[in-house]
Amino acid sequence: MRKILVIEDSPTNMMLAVYVLENAGHQVLQAKDAATGIRFAREAHPDLIFMDIQLPGMDGLEATRQLKASENTRHIPIYVLTAFSMKGDEERIRAAGCDGYLSKPASYKDLLATVEAVGAPAKVRKGSSRPEDHKSHR
Ligand code: MN
């Protein structure tokens, strides 16, 4: 189970994302605007953020810049949900600090594949050696 923040103002897109992610067993936090999303990111420390670009007030790229500029939230992977597919959009998205993007409407598979790939909880580091490596050889 991972904690995923979805920042999306379209009720239809939000419903789809929540449906897909919750059915896969994840916890979803929903924000309809960037300011609320930033607050949730700071307070709830999600494992991953799906960010719409066109939002009322502050847009998703500016919200990404702010999250990536803050010590507290810069480690959280941000994947933009975008209907844009024009040349130059990918560069704008990367320049804002986004970790990647999904074309809208995002498919069930795309959403879950992204969660699998980038939303993994921090793994416990293996020790540098196992006990048997320390056995003395005579
Ligand atoms: Mn939107």
Side-chain angles (χ1 to χ4, degrees):
M1 202 260 320
R2 285 160 204 162
K3 196 191 291 178
I4 300 163
L5 171 59
V6 181
I7 306 174
E8 166 67 83
D9 65 325
S10 149
T12 308
N13 289 335
M14 177 65 89
M15 224 166 55
L16 172 73
V18 170
Y19 176 82
V20 168
L21 297 169
E22 285 188 347
N23 263 291
H26 302 297
Q27 181 190 348
V28 183
L29 301 170
Q30 306 176 42
K32 291 179 199 149
D33 60 73
T36 307
I38 289 172
R39 184 161 55 80
F40 285 179
R42 287 184 178 144
E43 291 170 1
H45 305 290
D47 299 307
L48 172 66
I49 298 172
F50 285 117
M51 177 82 80
D52 184 23
I53 289 188
Q54 290 174 306
L55 292 164
M58 188 195 308
D59 73 21
L61 294 182
E62 178 54 28
T64 298
R65 279 183 213 109
Q66 293 194 13
L67 290 167
K68 292 296 183 181
S70 165
E71 198 72 47
N72 193 32
T73 52
R74 69 167 46 129
H75 64 282
I76 306 169
I78 300 178
Y79 275 67
V80 158
L81 301 170
T82 178
F84 303 156
S85 57
M86 314 252 291
K87 224 175 170 174
D89 287 339
E90 178 169 6
E91 285 133 58
R92 282 195 321 123
I93 289 167
R94 297 278 180 194
C98 300
D99 297 87
Y101 66 93
L102 301 179
S103 301
K104 282 208 281 194
S107 75
Y108 183 103
K109 271 189 185 169
D110 289 346
L111 283 171
L112 294 182
T114 303
V115 174
E116 288 306 313
V118 306
K123 291 200 179 91
V124 177
R125 282 224 180 86
K126 271 191 187 165
S128 56
S129 59
R130 290 167 299 172
E132 55 265 40
D133 294 334
H134 290 300
K135 276 179 190 155
S136 59
H137 299 282
R138 301 189 184 202

